[in-house]
Protein backbone atom coordinates (compact mmCIF):
# COMPACT_ATOMS: atom_id res chain seq x y z
CA UNK A 1 0.00 0.00 0.00
CA UNK A 2 1.42 3.35 -1.02
CA UNK A 3 -0.31 5.64 1.41
CA UNK A 4 -1.79 6.02 4.84
CA UNK A 5 -5.28 7.18 4.35
CA UNK A 6 -8.62 8.65 5.11
CA UNK A 7 -10.04 7.89 8.48
CA UNK A 8 -6.65 7.45 10.15
CA UNK A 9 -5.50 9.75 12.92
CA UNK A 10 -2.75 12.23 12.00
CA UNK A 11 -0.25 10.20 14.03
CA UNK A 12 -1.19 6.93 12.34
CA UNK A 13 -1.06 8.51 8.90
CA UNK A 14 2.30 10.09 9.58
CA UNK A 15 3.68 6.78 10.79
CA UNK A 16 2.32 4.76 7.86
CA UNK A 17 3.21 7.25 5.11
CA UNK A 18 5.24 5.48 2.46
CA UNK A 19 7.49 6.73 -0.25
CA UNK A 20 6.26 6.32 -3.84
CA UNK A 21 9.19 4.07 -4.62
CA UNK A 22 8.16 1.38 -2.18
CA UNK A 23 10.15 1.97 1.04
CA UNK A 24 8.25 3.15 4.11
CA UNK A 25 8.87 6.71 5.20
CA UNK A 26 7.51 6.30 8.71
CA UNK A 27 8.06 8.49 11.73
CA UNK A 28 10.51 5.94 13.12
CA UNK A 29 12.87 6.87 10.30
CA UNK A 30 12.10 10.56 10.45
CA UNK A 31 10.27 10.78 7.13
CA UNK A 32 12.54 12.50 4.67
CA UNK A 33 15.55 11.77 6.84
CA UNK A 34 14.78 8.11 6.21
CA UNK A 35 14.37 8.82 2.53
CA UNK A 36 17.64 10.73 2.51
CA UNK A 37 19.36 7.71 4.01
CA UNK A 38 18.51 5.87 0.80
CA UNK A 39 20.68 8.32 -1.13
CA UNK A 40 24.43 8.56 -1.54
CA UNK A 41 26.47 11.68 -0.76
CA UNK A 42 25.57 13.19 -4.14
CA UNK A 43 21.86 12.79 -3.44
CA UNK A 44 21.49 9.91 -5.89
CA UNK A 45 19.31 6.95 -4.85
CA UNK A 46 21.06 3.65 -4.26
CA UNK A 47 18.05 1.88 -5.79
CA UNK A 48 17.32 3.11 -9.31
CA UNK A 49 13.67 4.03 -9.81
CA UNK A 50 12.27 4.39 -13.30
CA UNK A 51 10.81 7.86 -13.96
CA UNK A 52 7.63 6.33 -15.41
CA UNK A 53 6.98 4.55 -12.12
CA UNK A 54 7.35 7.82 -10.23
CA UNK A 55 4.96 9.53 -12.68
CA UNK A 56 2.41 6.76 -12.08
CA UNK A 57 2.84 7.22 -8.33
CA UNK A 58 2.20 10.96 -8.68
CA UNK A 59 -0.97 10.30 -10.68
CA UNK A 60 -2.11 7.76 -8.11
CA UNK A 61 -1.54 10.08 -5.15
CA UNK A 62 -3.21 13.01 -6.92
CA UNK A 63 -6.35 10.89 -7.36
CA UNK A 64 -6.15 9.89 -3.73
CA UNK A 65 -5.73 13.54 -2.69
CA UNK A 66 -8.85 14.64 -4.56
CA UNK A 67 -11.10 12.27 -2.61
CA UNK A 68 -9.42 12.37 0.81
CA UNK A 69 -9.89 14.16 4.08
CA UNK A 70 -7.17 16.39 5.53
CA UNK A 71 -5.13 13.43 6.76
CA UNK A 72 -5.23 11.77 3.34
CA UNK A 73 -4.33 15.03 1.62
CA UNK A 74 -1.33 15.38 3.93
CA UNK A 75 -0.07 11.89 3.04
CA UNK A 76 -0.73 12.42 -0.68
CA UNK A 77 1.16 15.72 -0.83
CA UNK A 78 4.04 14.25 1.15
CA UNK A 79 4.40 11.32 -1.25
CA UNK A 80 3.96 13.50 -4.34
CA UNK A 81 6.70 15.78 -3.04
CA UNK A 82 9.04 12.81 -2.52
CA UNK A 83 8.33 11.58 -6.04
CA UNK A 84 9.03 14.99 -7.59
CA UNK A 85 12.22 15.22 -5.54
CA UNK A 86 13.42 11.91 -6.99
CA UNK A 87 12.59 13.21 -10.47
CA UNK A 88 14.73 16.27 -9.81
CA UNK A 89 11.74 18.64 -10.09
CA UNK A 90 12.60 20.71 -7.04
CA UNK A 91 9.94 23.42 -7.34
CA UNK A 92 7.10 20.89 -7.56
CA UNK A 93 8.61 18.95 -4.67
CA UNK A 94 8.82 22.06 -2.49
CA UNK A 95 5.24 23.12 -3.25
CA UNK A 96 3.85 19.70 -2.30
CA UNK A 97 5.91 19.43 0.87
CA UNK A 98 4.71 22.91 1.84
CA UNK A 99 1.11 21.78 1.34
CA UNK A 100 1.86 18.70 3.46
CA UNK A 101 3.22 20.96 6.20
CA UNK A 102 0.13 23.17 6.01
CA UNK A 103 -2.16 20.17 6.56
CA UNK A 104 0.05 18.86 9.37
CA UNK A 105 -0.21 22.25 11.11
CA UNK A 106 -4.00 22.26 10.66
CA UNK A 107 -4.16 18.77 12.16
CA UNK A 108 -1.88 19.77 15.07
CA UNK A 109 0.24 16.73 14.27
CA UNK A 110 3.85 16.89 15.46
CA UNK A 111 4.61 13.68 13.56
CA UNK A 112 3.19 15.16 10.39
CA UNK A 113 5.16 18.37 10.83
CA UNK A 114 8.31 16.33 11.39
CA UNK A 115 7.77 14.43 8.14
CA UNK A 116 6.96 17.52 6.08
CA UNK A 117 9.76 19.68 7.48
CA UNK A 118 12.17 16.77 7.22
CA UNK A 119 11.25 16.42 3.57
CA UNK A 120 11.91 20.11 2.96
CA UNK A 121 15.18 19.98 4.89
CA UNK A 122 16.77 16.71 3.75
CA UNK A 123 15.63 16.10 0.20
CA UNK A 124 18.45 16.71 -2.29
CA UNK A 125 18.55 20.26 -3.64
CA UNK A 126 15.85 21.72 -1.38
CA UNK A 127 16.64 25.35 -0.47
CA UNK A 128 20.26 24.81 -1.51
CA UNK A 129 20.39 28.48 -2.56
CA UNK A 130 18.79 29.73 0.66
CA UNK A 131 20.88 28.45 3.60
CA UNK A 132 19.14 30.75 6.08
CA UNK A 133 15.76 29.23 5.32
CA UNK A 134 17.32 25.77 5.38
CA UNK A 135 18.80 26.46 8.83
CA UNK A 136 15.44 27.64 10.23
CA UNK A 137 13.73 24.50 8.92
CA UNK A 138 16.36 22.20 10.39
CA UNK A 139 16.27 23.96 13.76
CA UNK A 140 12.51 23.44 13.86
CA UNK A 141 13.00 19.83 12.79
CA UNK A 142 15.39 19.30 15.73
CA UNK A 143 12.77 20.72 18.11
CA UNK A 144 10.20 18.28 16.74
CA UNK A 145 12.64 15.38 16.96
CA UNK A 146 13.18 16.25 20.62
CA UNK A 147 9.45 16.35 21.30
CA UNK A 148 8.98 13.01 19.52
CA UNK A 149 12.07 11.39 21.12
CA UNK A 150 13.62 10.79 17.68
CA UNK A 151 17.23 11.14 18.79
CA UNK A 152 18.65 9.39 15.72
CA UNK A 153 17.05 11.98 13.47
CA UNK A 154 18.34 14.77 15.70
CA UNK A 155 21.89 13.61 14.99
CA UNK A 156 21.40 13.83 11.23
CA UNK A 157 19.93 17.30 11.57
CA UNK A 158 22.74 18.51 13.84
CA UNK A 159 25.30 17.30 11.31
CA UNK A 160 23.44 19.22 8.59
CA UNK A 161 23.56 22.37 10.71
CA UNK A 162 27.28 21.82 11.20
CA UNK A 163 27.77 21.66 7.44
CA UNK A 164 25.73 24.84 6.89
CA UNK A 165 27.65 26.69 9.62
CA UNK A 166 30.96 25.61 8.09
CA UNK A 167 29.90 26.75 4.63
CA UNK A 168 29.00 30.14 6.13
CA UNK A 169 32.44 30.38 7.72
CA UNK A 170 31.11 30.01 11.29
CA UNK A 171 33.72 27.46 12.34
CA UNK A 172 33.11 27.53 16.10
CA UNK A 173 29.40 27.03 15.57
CA UNK A 174 30.13 24.23 13.12
CA UNK A 175 32.38 22.51 15.69
CA UNK A 176 29.65 22.72 18.33
CA UNK A 177 27.04 21.12 16.04
CA UNK A 178 29.37 18.29 15.01
CA UNK A 179 30.21 17.60 18.67
CA UNK A 180 26.49 17.34 19.47
CA UNK A 181 25.96 15.08 16.46
CA UNK A 182 28.77 12.79 17.67
CA UNK A 183 27.09 12.53 21.07
CA UNK A 184 23.80 11.57 19.41
CA UNK A 185 25.54 8.94 17.26
CA UNK A 186 27.29 7.43 20.29
CA UNK A 187 24.03 7.31 22.21
CA UNK A 188 22.49 5.37 19.32
CA UNK A 189 25.51 3.12 18.84
CA UNK A 190 25.76 4.35 15.26
CA UNK A 191 29.48 3.99 14.58
CA UNK A 192 29.23 4.98 10.92
CA UNK A 193 27.53 8.28 11.76
CA UNK A 194 29.99 8.86 14.61
CA UNK A 195 32.93 8.30 12.24
CA UNK A 196 31.45 10.66 9.65
CA UNK A 197 30.84 13.40 12.21
CA UNK A 198 34.32 12.93 13.71
CA UNK A 199 35.92 13.46 10.30
CA UNK A 200 33.80 16.57 9.73
CA UNK A 201 34.68 17.81 13.23
CA UNK A 202 38.38 17.44 12.44
CA UNK A 203 37.98 19.44 9.23
CA UNK A 204 36.01 22.18 11.01
CA UNK A 205 38.61 22.34 13.80
CA UNK A 206 41.42 22.61 11.23
CA UNK A 207 39.60 25.41 9.42
CA UNK A 208 39.05 27.26 12.69
CA UNK A 209 42.74 27.02 13.59
CA UNK A 210 43.75 28.15 10.11
CA UNK A 211 41.42 31.15 10.30
CA UNK A 212 42.89 32.04 13.70
CA UNK A 213 46.43 31.64 12.38
CA UNK A 214 45.78 33.88 9.38
CA UNK A 215 44.16 36.47 11.63
CA UNK A 216 47.24 36.51 13.87
CA UNK A 217 49.52 36.96 10.84
CA UNK A 218 47.39 39.85 9.60
CA UNK A 219 47.39 41.54 13.02
CA UNK A 220 51.18 41.27 13.34
CA UNK A 221 51.57 42.69 9.84
CA UNK A 222 49.35 45.66 10.71
CA UNK A 223 51.28 46.27 13.94
CA UNK A 224 54.62 46.25 12.08
CA UNK A 225 53.30 48.73 9.52
CA UNK A 226 52.29 51.12 12.29
CA UNK A 227 55.50 50.71 14.28
Amino acid sequence: QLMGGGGSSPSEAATSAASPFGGGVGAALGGAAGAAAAEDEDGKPFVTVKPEHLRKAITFHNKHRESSDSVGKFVAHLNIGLAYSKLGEKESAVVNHQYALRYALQLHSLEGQSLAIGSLSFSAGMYENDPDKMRVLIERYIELCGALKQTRNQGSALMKLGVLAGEAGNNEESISYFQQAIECARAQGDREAEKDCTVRLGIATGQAKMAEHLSDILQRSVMRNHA
Side-chain angles (χ1 to χ4, degrees), residues 80-97:
I80 291 169
L82 289 170
Y84 275 125
S85 179
K86 289 297 177 183
L87 288 168
E89 299 182 22
K90 298 174 187 177
E91 291 184 7
S92 295
V94 168
V95 167
N96 278 280
H97 287 145

Side-chain angles (χ1 to χ4, degrees), residues 16-211:
S16 64
S19 73
F21 46 92
V25 189
L29 291 178
E39 299 175 346
D40 65 18
E41 292 182 353
D42 296 321
K44 298 177 182 178
F46 288 128
V47 179
T48 302
V49 185
K50 293 182 178 180
E52 57 265 32
H53 292 167
L54 292 171
R55 296 289 179 192
K56 287 181 181 179
I58 290 170
T59 300
F60 175 83
H61 287 302
N62 268 319
K63 289 181 179 179
H64 173 238
R65 174 182 59 81
E66 292 170 0
S67 59
S68 295
D69 59 10
S70 294
V71 175
K73 291 181 189 299
F74 157 74
V75 175
H77 278 298
L78 183 70
N79 282 320
I80 291 169
L82 289 170
Y84 275 125
S85 179
K86 289 297 177 183
L87 288 168
E89 299 182 22
K90 298 174 187 177
E91 291 184 7
S92 295
V94 168
V95 167
N96 278 280
H97 287 145
Q98 288 174 336
Y99 271 115
L101 177 59
R102 182 182 300 178
Y103 282 112
L105 289 168
Q106 289 177 2
L107 294 162
H108 304 290
S109 169
L110 292 181
E111 293 92 340
Q113 291 176 50
S114 174
L115 286 165
I117 293 176
S119 296
L120 286 167
S121 302
F122 286 92
S123 295
M126 298 297 181
Y127 295 118
E128 61 184 9
N129 296 320
D130 194 343
D132 290 335
K133 183 173 290 186
M134 173 73 81
R135 187 183 67 254
V136 170
L137 283 170
I138 296 175
E139 287 173 347
R140 175 55 180 158
Y141 181 71
I142 289 173
E143 291 177 6
L144 291 167
C145 286
L148 296 168
K149 310 299 182 185
Q150 296 177 357
T151 53
R152 181 181 298 275
N153 302 331
Q154 271 186 313
S156 300
L158 286 165
M159 185 169 71
K160 185 77 171 179
L161 285 177
V163 171
L164 290 174
E167 290 175 348
N170 300 323
N171 295 313
E172 295 301 326
E173 190 175 304
S174 178
I175 289 170
S176 176
Y177 283 130
F178 286 136
Q179 288 173 333
Q180 293 177 65
I182 289 171
E183 291 176 5
C184 285
R186 284 176 180 166
Q188 293 293 324
D190 190 338
R191 293 185 179 180
E192 201 63 35
E194 182 182 348
K195 180 180 177 181
D196 187 10
C197 290
T198 300
V199 171
R200 293 176 185 272
L201 174 60
I203 294 171
T205 302
Q207 290 175 334
K209 289 181 178 179
M210 178 58 72

